[in-house]
Amino acid sequence: MGGIDLVAGACWNGRMNPRTALVTMTLITQAAWAQQSNAGKPMAVLPSVTDPAIQQFNGPHSCIEPTAAPRGELLLFLPGTNAESGSGALAFRQTAAACGYHVVSLMYPCDIAAQQACRNDEDPTSYGRFRLEILTGKDLSPHVQVSVTDSVFNRLTKVIQHLAKKRPRQGWGQFLDGETILWSKIAVSGQSQGGGHAAMIAKQHLVARVIMFGSPKDYSVRLQGPAKFYAPPQQTPLLRFFAFNHAQDKQGACTPEQQWEILRLLGFDATKKAVVDGAQPPFGGAHVLLTNKQLPDMDMKKIHGAALTQREFEPVWKYLLTAPVP
């Protein structure tokens, strides 16, 4: 309903008919309120609608358009093992939209945890090959079977194409060049397994930034060390990587101490590590952030997800999303 058309219809002999004007302004106000009330609400998009060849893991992607001045970057969020794309991290994703990001929380094959599949494998490349198969669909790992059609990269490409076609004025098309993902405009993020995938994408491609929650967890029990793919070099500069974890997170047979070993292999030292409890951004410019928040129920799964589920961490999320990067 166009405001200009309504106002034109409310004129009478060159003047505004008071009764019609009142109705008109009420309608305009209601339309504006409706538009505002939809701001930040996720759009559910079935993967099979974007690509009919996709039949598995067909729960909806969850997409949000910017609710502030667009920054020209898309936040790709990859949920953890067995998580639905729209079920978790909504507050974080809405915070990203309020920071100007286009947001896609992607549904993808995530029914097997990397730690479950690879922690006892004697092959030091096991974690990397596992993640690359899920991302690209190439036949690389004996622990998972993902086709090119079902891969993260194909799903992301197809949902961006779909949104660009259905909502051409909203800027979705800027993140693709034909079939090619423009990674330099993509901030990759994820929780748990999704955080590990985000790190692997950033190792392979130059991305805008990387945000890992409850991650990375790729620590080999068999080889007693971090997955080798975290070692330098990487396409994305180290100071575009961020991690936010709970100091008591032992989920996935990976302790906080082992998690720190992985981050040290990536390249971080203690000067880039900070506790957020009682502190304010920019946390001394830290890139590895920790909380020791005590939860009413200190269940390990809740501890594992705390950095992403507690709304009080919104200032931390804004820092992760907007801190200057090289």
Side-chain angles (χ1 to χ4, degrees), residues 185-221:
K185 293 187 173 185
I186 311 291
V188 292
S189 64
Q191 199 270 337
S192 193
Q193 176 171 189
H197 293 326
M200 175 56 87
I201 293 171
K203 297 288 289 188
Q204 300 286 316
H205 302 274
L206 174 62
V207 301
R209 73 180 61 219
V210 190
I211 306 173
M212 300 173 285
F213 295 95
S215 185
K217 287 281 189 176
D218 297 350
Y219 191 92
S220 172
V221 174

Side-chain angles (χ1 to χ4, degrees), residues 91-92 95 213 244 246 276-281 283 290-296 305-319:
F92 168 69
T95 299
F213 295 95
F244 184 26
H246 197 288
V276 303
D277 303 326
Q280 296 294 324
F283 309 111
L290 295 169
T291 178
N292 200 26
K293 177 179 172 61
Q294 300 300 297
L295 305 173
L308 192 57
T309 59
Q310 302 296 305
R311 192 64 187 252
E312 68 188 74
F313 291 133
E314 185 174 350
V316 184
W317 301 339
K318 288 181 179 178
Y319 169 74

Side-chain angles (χ1 to χ4, degrees), residues 1 36 41 54 64-65 68-69 88 90 95 114 143 145 165 173 190 196 220-221 228 250 288 297 304 306-307:
M1 184 176 294
Q36 184 178 10
K41 286 189 176 181
I54 298 175
I64 308 176
E65 289 171 347
L90 178 57
T95 299
H143 301 301
Q145 292 184 330
K165 180 179 179 180
S220 172
V221 174
K228 299 301 182 184
K250 299 178 183 179
V288 178
D297 177 3
H304 182 49

Side-chain angles (χ1 to χ4, degrees), residues 45 50 61 63 104 106 155-163:
V45 181
T50 71
H61 305 308
C63 311
V104 172
L106 202 75
R155 287 165 177 261
L156 178 60
T157 300
K158 294 300 169 61
V159 72
I160 293 174
Q161 288 176 332
H162 173 82
L163 291 167

Side-chain angles (χ1 to χ4, degrees), residues 111-138:
D111 59 332
I112 302 172
Q115 274 297 80
Q116 172 189 344
C118 303
R119 67 188 179 192
N120 291 311
D121 197 322
E122 62 185 10
D123 181 357
T125 69
S126 180
Y127 284 100
R129 291 189 294 109
F130 174 89
R131 294 194 181 282
L132 282 173
E133 179 154 342
I134 293 172
L135 293 173
T136 68
K138 295 179 180 178

